Amino acid sequence: MKYLYLLYLILLTSVSFSQSKFEKGYYIDNKGNKKEGYIRLIDFEKINEIDKLDFKSSKSSKNDKIDLTTINEIGIGSELKLIKVSLQIDDINFYKDYKVGKELDLKNITAFLNVEIEGKASLYSFASSFGKKFFYKLSDQDKGIVQLVYKKYLSEDNVKVNTYFRNQLFNDVKCENQVFNDFLNLEYNKEQLLKVFKNFNDCRISNSITYRNRFEKSFKTHISGFLGMNLISNPSLSTLTYGGEFEFVFPSEKLSFFIRAEYESFRSEEMNVYFSAGGAIRNEDTFKANAKSLDIIIGPRYNYIISKNHKVFFSTGIGFSEQSGSITASRKLILSGVDDTIYPLQKYELKPSSFFYLGVGYLFHERFGIDLSYDTNKTIYEDENTLFKLSYSNIGVNFRFVFY
């Protein structure tokens, strides 16, 4: 049971942290009114996928849920700044479904952009499950906020890349002593783009603010519950199973670490037959199991993000099975030409065991899921005298709901 207590402590700590962590900040509504207070920390890269912002006017006041459609700007000190803008954005997935042609497939949207650096030249980002896209704006030009062009596309069945963003930076965000070769090997990522914009603002003697965005792509935790059915082999039967899972997700969202608690119970009866006294005596040992098990599984998980609403995951781990219940055993001796002799029942306590776990699953809208699992053999009883061993493996199917 010590594993259950450990899991409970982790879950309780995680829930308490996630429910109480607020940072001092502000928001500006669509009418230009600024409201200062405390904002609940979330994954702000997903700000365009949620409806409400949790806000307190003071640490002791109640939590208000502010409709994001009424908000025009959000800020947390020098850490974070988000602005709502209407602009044109390329609607192409960075990772698959490439289209023919290198031109952007633009559409009009109104969304929050993350301000990366603000000055004479400002850099912004927009994140989604399709990849992060960057935008820029020059304070002395009237072009507004423009996307830095980067697009993978198909040409004669080959994937090519439009890297026109390097030309944009050379034309608009270069210092006097820079040449195109300085931009030729730039990668389309935050770190390298920030260096370009900071260098430009410095050489133009422009006071700029770089937002550290320490809340961007932070570690996340999820708690989910599941209910399902296990198909057990040796003995062959099916059991109802239920439990919960705590998941710690790394910033990339592709890798995570999970702790899973699963409960099941079953009854079974097995017979072991062997001969003694040179084959003259037939021994029939009957074992009746009435078992309950609590399995604690820990291990890594790989998440394959298909889109913002669809995800497939693959899990592996080490499991520890804490058994309760017992096995009752009776022994029948059959001698040639002699009546059967039955020994009284004996009771044996079950033993804890360890096993390996494999799983694959699908998650919809980060809320509803189904997964298949396989547990290798769990040995719950072993007779030292007859070498009889009662063990079982199982294949399970579970339906899960992610609480947060």
Side-chain angles (χ1 to χ4, degrees):
M1 297 298 291
K2 61 183 180 181
Y3 302 114
L4 181 61
Y5 296 141
L6 175 62
L7 177 65
Y8 176 77
L9 179 61
I10 294 173
L11 297 182
L12 183 62
T13 303
S14 174
V15 171
S16 300
F17 178 82
S18 64
Q19 290 181 344
S20 62
K21 188 63 175 175
F22 282 76
E23 286 282 345
K24 186 173 178 58
Y26 71 90
Y27 72 86
I28 299 175
D29 64 24
N30 294 336
K31 297 180 179 179
N33 300 313
K34 185 176 182 179
K35 180 70 173 179
E36 295 186 347
Y38 294 85
I39 297 172
R40 186 195 296 275
L41 298 185
I42 58 173
D43 183 355
F44 285 103
E45 285 203 341
K46 296 187 176 181
I47 191 68
N48 293 297
E49 299 176 16
I50 62 176
D51 300 321
K52 307 286 185 180
L53 181 73
D54 290 332
F55 183 84
K56 291 182 177 182
S57 56
S58 66
K59 285 187 176 180
S60 59
S61 63
K62 70 178 183 69
N63 178 31
D64 294 322
K65 292 187 175 295
I66 311 299
D67 194 327
L68 279 171
T69 60
T70 67
I71 296 178
N72 196 53
E73 181 177 318
I74 301 170
I76 301 178
S78 61
E79 302 291 348
L80 177 81
K81 184 175 181 180
L82 299 162
I83 58 171
K84 185 189 291 181
V85 296
S86 296
L87 46 69
Q88 288 189 317
I89 189 171
D90 179 25
D91 194 29
I92 298 297
N93 191 334
F94 276 2
Y95 306 121
K96 65 173 190 174
D97 298 335
Y98 304 131
K99 296 186 179 180
V100 176
K102 66 179 182 180
E103 301 302 320
L104 298 187
D105 185 12
L106 296 172
K107 69 174 184 179
N108 295 315
I109 67 166
T110 298
F112 282 98
L113 295 184
N114 195 326
V115 182
E116 303 288 357
I117 187 170
E118 200 170 36
K120 186 175 182 62
S122 299
L123 176 69
Y124 311 89
S125 65
F126 175 86
S128 74
S129 56
F130 294 147
K132 181 179 288 189
K133 301 180 182 183
F134 294 95
F135 300 79
Y136 76 108
K137 178 183 178 182
L138 300 177
S139 61
D140 58 356
Q141 293 186 8
D142 298 327
K143 291 190 298 184
I145 296 177
V146 180
Q147 183 172 344
L148 286 168
V149 176
Y150 177 88
K151 176 186 175 182
K152 293 181 179 180
Y153 63 96
L154 290 177
S155 177
E156 299 178 352
D157 295 328
N158 294 316
V159 177
K160 296 187 177 181
V161 184
N162 179 356
T163 57
Y164 184 69
F165 76 94
R166 295 167 181 165
N167 298 73
Q168 292 172 286
L169 295 175
F170 174 71
N171 293 331
D172 294 333
V173 194
K174 73 173 186 294
C175 295
E176 294 180 357
N177 61 342
Q178 289 184 299
V179 296
F180 186 73
N181 281 347
D182 295 325
F183 299 85
L184 188 59
N185 296 315
L186 276 178
E187 298 294 330
Y188 195 78
N189 61 47
K190 173 182 171 179
E191 289 72 21
Q192 294 200 21
L193 293 176
L194 271 178
K195 290 180 181 178
V196 172
F197 279 79
K198 188 176 188 310
N199 181 61
F200 175 81
N201 287 323
D202 289 344
C203 72
R204 292 299 177 93
I205 316 178
S206 170
N207 293 325
S208 62
I209 302 174
T210 301
Y211 293 92
R212 290 180 288 177
N213 288 315
R214 64 184 175 94
F215 311 117
E216 171 193 36
K217 280 287 185 182
S218 58
F219 292 99
K220 296 186 297 184
T221 58
H222 296 305
I223 290 181
S224 57
F226 60 86
L227 176 68
M229 185 74 69
N230 278 348
L231 302 177
I232 294 178
S233 63
N234 190 30
S236 298
L237 51 92
S238 60
T239 64
L240 181 69
T241 181
Y242 58 89
E245 185 180 277
F246 168 79
E247 184 180 13
F248 181 83
V249 185
F250 292 91
S252 69
E253 297 190 19
K254 293 182 179 181
L255 295 176
S256 59
F257 183 84
F258 70 93
I259 303 177
R260 177 186 180 101
E262 183 174 354
Y263 176 84
E264 66 177 339
S265 64
F266 68 89
R267 296 173 181 269
S268 70
E269 182 175 323
E270 291 289 308
M271 178 181 289
N272 180 42
V273 179
Y274 63 97
F275 292 88
S276 60
I281 302 176
R282 174 186 170 94
N283 297 262
E284 294 182 355
D285 292 347
T286 300
F287 296 85
K288 295 181 179 180
N290 179 10
K292 300 178 178 63
S293 69
L294 175 66
D295 297 344
I296 303 296
I297 303 165
I298 59 176
R301 172 172 293 157
Y302 175 76
N303 301 292
Y304 177 71
I305 301 172
I306 301 173
S307 70
K308 68 178 182 179
N309 294 327
H310 305 276
K311 180 173 73 174
V312 177
F313 55 89
F314 305 89
S315 310
T316 184
I318 299 175
F320 306 91
S321 186
E322 187 77 28
Q323 304 288 337
S324 62
S326 62
I327 291 179
T328 54
S330 62
R331 177 169 296 171
K332 179 187 291 187
L333 303 182
I334 304 175
L335 289 77
S336 301
V338 181
D339 292 339
D340 300 344
T341 302
I342 300 177
Y343 284 82
L345 293 176
Q346 299 183 58
K347 191 172 184 179
Y348 303 94
E349 296 300 322
L350 302 180
K351 57 180 287 188
S353 61
S354 59
F355 59 95
F356 289 102
Y357 168 89
L358 296 173
V360 59
Y362 164 76
L363 197 63
F364 178 65
H365 273 289
E366 296 189 349
R367 190 68 66 180
F368 307 97
I370 183 172
D371 59 84
L372 300 174
S373 62
Y374 171 70
D375 298 347
T376 60
N377 273 342
K378 308 170 188 176
T379 300
I380 62 174
Y381 174 74
E382 190 169 4
D383 190 297
E384 297 179 356
N385 297 320
T386 65
L387 301 181
F388 175 72
K389 182 168 65 175
L390 182 59
S391 62
Y392 68 94
S393 60
N394 59 268
I395 297 175
V397 55
N398 298 292
F399 297 92
R400 69 168 59 209
F401 177 78
V402 180
F403 295 103
Y404 82 86

